Amino acid sequence: MKLSFHGADRGVTGSCHLLECAGRRILVDCGLYQGSSELHEDNSAAFGFEASSIDHLLLTHAHLDHCGRIPLLARRGFRGEIVATAATRELARVVMLDSAHLQEEEARYRARRHQRRHGRAAAVASEPLYTTLDALDSLAYFGRTATYGEPLELAPGIRVTFEDAGHILGSASVCVDVEEGSERRRIVFSGDLGNAGRPLLRAPVVPPSPVDALVLETTYGDRVHRPIGPTIEEFYQVVEQTFRRGGNVVVPSFALERAQEILFVLREGVENGRLPRLMQVFLDSPMAISATEIFARHPECCAPQVAQMLQAGIDPFHLPGLHYTRDASESEAINRFSSGAVILAGAGMCSGGRIRHHLRHNLWREDCSIVFVGFAARGTLARRIIDGAESVRIFDEDIRVRAQVHTINGFSAHADRDELLQWHGRLKPRRTFLVHGEEDVMRGFASRLAGAQVEMPELGASYAI
Ligand code: ZN
């Protein structure tokens, strides 16, 4: 049995791991590298394995850094079966189509830039990583649906069980049980683990022991989150203070989970009189709007309180002043609101999307607030603003950063250091492979796993299990 690593190795994006066992080749996730536009080369590089040789792809969740290279995998010859939960399957469809659209746009942008600089058309650089058609084609490979806690016979001698990872809607840790002759092995892939106690989802489930090998994410292996109660209070205070100053609150927001969580929190704030009833809230992201609709279809993935609301026909995201703005023209019209609005838009790391327009209109205004509620990778616009840049470049224009910048980390969809340690401690794996973390964070985390056999695989590394 062999385990090899093809993405998110000493980095937080591009998750892709390959397990070879019982005569099958099983990929776990096939994510996109994200962070800066220079990553096109990493994304278009060879996978490190033959796409056509993969029998199964187990998808832990629908974030782009876990599913974003699936259309490329199919384009390069993958004809196997993708297994995921029902919610992940629906969300991944939206995410991959959106990504294909962005890839096409970026390719056009690169072609224009090349033409401007060199006076002639570019050959390779203008090719999109994949097209909308590739994304649609790849949907054909979604096969069986996984249900939390129910083992599924993937192939003779291989059983997989998806357990609720509590990270985003439909997210899972995957437990692979393999029988080869008289040998039995259990390998667990954590996927991304959630932060327990958040309002919409349940806490991550710990798969059964004993575990021979664990592939563990370490995104926040170096920090402890603020509890959710004070986090929500801090958010309400920022909204109140900003409205009092006469400004807007701009929230760069991931379309999956974070946007729904913020809507839910705003709704609760209005319900309990903490926030103004007629506050204007804009969900300015077609993908987040679709994700919100998909959310309502999956009470089986929700925390009990939210599942009950959904089953009773109550919309957990309803606000009197809420506007879903799908069209670009509606999005532009938001700029007419100079005060009293909460604007949620993507991308969360501000690397593209409508958020850049809202930053252009609000970032230079002292009375406005920009509230970061999620992870910001190095090299992204979000990270530059968080790190205190005095001005940033948006659409070829230098914009002064005069708005109040807040980072509210307690909303994190990722387990913090202590939660990761606890989850690892309960699983007690014989070997641990750390992935999905920045290298210094991973080293610090590894030093806390005293007595455990820990590896930090390099890209392309492989291990006999
Ligand atoms: Zn994730």
Side-chain angles (χ1 to χ4, degrees), residues 137-440:
D137 286 345
S138 69
L139 298 176
Y141 302 106
F142 276 83
R144 286 169 287 178
T145 300
T147 304
Y148 288 142
E150 290 184 13
L152 188 151
E153 185 92 21
L154 196 66
I158 308 173
R159 227 161 17 113
V160 296
T161 312
F162 283 56
E163 301 283 7
D164 193 345
H167 168 61
I168 65 167
L169 190 80
S171 67
S173 300
V174 183
C175 181
V176 185
D177 284 294
V178 186
E179 254 186 272
E180 279 180 302
S182 59
E183 288 215 30
R184 283 159 187 259
R185 290 267 190 278
R186 177 174 290 150
I187 296 100
V188 171
F189 297 86
S190 71
D192 286 357
L193 291 173
N195 172 10
R198 281 151 68 237
L200 297 180
L201 300 178
R202 292 185 295 249
V205 168
V206 182
S209 293
V211 172
D212 296 287
L214 166 67
V215 178
L216 178 65
E217 70 116 333
T218 49
T219 317
Y220 281 129
D222 64 338
R223 69 179 75 173
V224 175
H225 298 319
R226 256 187 114 184
I228 191 74
T231 298
I232 293 173
E233 185 50 37
E234 186 184 353
F235 182 56
Y236 289 163
Q237 280 174 13
V238 170
V239 174
E240 276 175 340
Q241 287 161 5
T242 312
F243 286 177
R244 226 176 288 138
R245 292 197 304 270
N248 291 324
V249 179
V250 176
V251 187
S253 184
F254 295 96
L256 311 190
E257 210 59 39
R258 195 57 38 82
Q260 291 80 38
E261 196 165 70
I262 297 293
L263 285 183
F264 185 78
V265 163
L266 288 170
R267 176 191 186 276
E268 294 229 299
V270 168
E271 290 277 303
N272 59 33
R274 199 65 182 71
L275 296 173
R277 185 152 192 84
L278 288 176
M279 143 185 88
Q280 300 299 299
V281 179
F282 296 93
L283 184 58
D284 188 28
S285 156
M287 183 156 63
I289 296 167
S290 297
T292 307
E293 287 165 358
I294 291 171
F295 215 107
R297 294 183 203 158
H298 291 282
E300 80 279 6
C301 300
C302 296
Q305 181 203 356
V306 179
Q308 276 166 17
M309 289 173 86
L310 288 171
Q311 275 150 356
I314 301 166
D315 179 356
F317 309 115
H318 175 76
L319 281 155
L322 175 62
H323 310 273
Y324 287 146
T325 50
R326 265 192 200 275
D327 294 345
S329 59
E330 292 171 321
S331 171
E332 279 161 30
I334 299 172
N335 299 332
R336 291 205 296 268
F337 286 81
S338 59
S339 66
V342 178
I343 304 164
L344 307 174
M349 299 194 208
C350 309
S351 44
R354 293 180 179 176
I355 191 67
R356 294 165 83 94
H357 292 279
H358 299 301
L359 289 176
R360 187 166 64 161
H361 286 278
N362 295 281
L363 195 56
W364 59 273
R365 290 179 49 197
E366 267 174 357
D367 47 6
C368 290
S369 293
I370 316 297
V371 185
F372 291 97
V373 290
F375 184 77
R378 284 177 190 159
T380 58
L381 175 58
R383 187 70 169 249
R384 284 199 292 282
I385 297 172
I386 291 168
D387 286 347
E390 284 181 11
S391 81
V392 290
R393 205 161 175 80
I394 302 174
F395 299 122
D396 291 331
E397 200 183 321
D398 287 317
I399 313 274
R400 290 274 306 276
V401 182
R402 297 179 70 209
Q404 294 208 1
V405 176
H406 301 267
T407 311
I408 304 186
N409 268 329
F411 283 116
S412 177
H414 284 274
D416 67 11
R417 185 194 66 199
D418 292 353
E419 289 175 303
L420 288 172
L421 285 171
Q422 212 177 36
W423 199 84
H424 181 274
R426 287 175 62 189
L427 213 54
K428 293 192 189 66
R430 286 222 329 257
R431 285 176 90 177
T432 303
F433 297 87
L434 301 183
V435 296
H436 205 286
E438 280 162 3
E439 193 166 341
D440 46 341

Side-chain angles (χ1 to χ4, degrees), residues 61 63 65-66 167 192 414:
H61 66 290
H63 270 151
D65 62 325
H66 292 256
H167 168 61
D192 286 357
H414 284 274

Side-chain angles (χ1 to χ4, degrees), residues 99-135:
S99 171
H101 178 70
L102 286 177
Q103 299 297 337
E104 288 168 344
E105 258 182 11
E106 264 173 36
R108 278 195 290 274
Y109 171 77
R110 281 197 302 274
R112 279 200 304 274
R113 193 179 54 185
H114 191 277
Q115 185 96 33
R116 271 202 310 274
R117 286 185 183 167
H118 305 284
R120 60 188 153 77
V124 181
S126 60
E127 279 280 304
L129 189 63
Y130 50 80
T131 63
T132 299
L133 187 60
D134 292 323

